[in-house]
């Protein structure tokens, strides 16, 4: 869920949402005659056809097929303390991802993604790995 309090934030969050959907394989970008189209993929179609309770596991499965996401999660599973070394490992994995290279993200933007992965990982761990 996105909480938007002003128009500028809406633009930023919309852009981030679209970029995330592209990165995780739910959308594909096609350019024809200098017009860019965003097309839902089969992964998205399958996701939308599932009942709500099945969407989250399907979402996680789709993400696990992304090599970068898988590597980042492995770092976090194997290193429960998210210190400077593991943060740098995640950063280096992200820098090597072709999608991130194509977007020409700044170092700070990539660091932001690395931090978001950590928060996301902790939320998944809390929901899936019940103590």
């Amino acid at each position: 869920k996105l909480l938007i309090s002003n128009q500028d934030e809406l633009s930023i969050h919309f852009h981030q949402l679209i970029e995330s959907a592209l990165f995780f394989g739910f959308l594909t970008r096609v350019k024809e005659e200098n017009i860019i189209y965003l097309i839902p993929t089969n992964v998205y179609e399958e996701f939308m056809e599932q009942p709500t309770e099945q969407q989250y596991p399907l979402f996680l499965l789709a993400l696990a097929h992304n090599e970068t996401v898988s590597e980042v999660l492995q770092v976090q599973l194997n290193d429960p303390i998210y210190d400077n070394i593991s943060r740098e490992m995640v950063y280096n994995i992200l820098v090597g991802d072709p999608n991130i290279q194509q977007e020409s993200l700044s170092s700070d933007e990539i660091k932001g993604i690395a931090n978001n992965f950590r928060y996301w990982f902790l939320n998944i761990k809390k929901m899936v790995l019940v103590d």
Side-chain angles (χ1 to χ4, degrees):
K1 294 182 181 180
L2 299 175
L3 177 62
I4 309 297
S5 59
N6 67 45
Q7 191 67 30
D8 292 335
E9 283 185 21
L10 176 61
S11 250
I12 291 167
H13 287 297
F14 180 76
H15 176 74
Q16 290 172 337
L17 183 63
I18 295 298
E19 290 301 315
S20 297
L22 287 163
F23 180 81
F24 292 124
F26 288 90
L27 288 177
T28 188
R29 183 182 291 145
V30 175
K31 187 174 183 178
E32 292 180 3
E33 300 178 16
N34 292 328
I35 299 174
I36 296 174
Y37 297 94
L38 299 173
I39 301 170
T41 63
N42 291 337
V43 174
Y44 174 79
E45 297 294 338
E46 184 180 346
F47 174 82
M48 292 307 294
E49 291 173 0
Q50 298 299 315
T52 305
E53 63 274 3
Q54 293 301 315
Q55 286 179 339
Y56 193 66
L58 186 63
F59 175 71
L60 294 177
L61 183 61
L63 298 184
H65 290 303
N66 180 293
E67 186 176 336
T68 300
V69 173
S70 181
E71 288 180 31
V72 168
L73 291 176
Q74 286 299 322
V75 168
Q76 298 194 38
L77 283 170
N78 293 322
D79 192 359
I81 300 171
Y82 197 60
D83 59 6
N84 288 337
I85 294 171
S86 54
R87 188 176 288 114
E88 185 175 340
M89 290 172 67
V90 169
Y91 177 86
N92 290 338
I93 291 167
L94 292 172
V95 167
D97 184 86
N99 292 313
I100 289 178
Q101 291 172 354
Q102 180 181 0
E103 296 299 323
S104 302
L105 299 177
S106 71
S107 179
D108 286 342
E109 288 172 316
I110 296 171
K111 286 177 185 174
I113 293 171
N115 289 335
N116 285 339
F117 261 115
R118 181 60 180 174
Y119 297 130
W120 179 67
F121 169 75
L122 292 174
N123 285 335
I124 291 172
K125 183 178 176 185
K126 182 175 150 186
M127 292 181 71
V128 176
L129 303 175
V130 179
D131 292 322

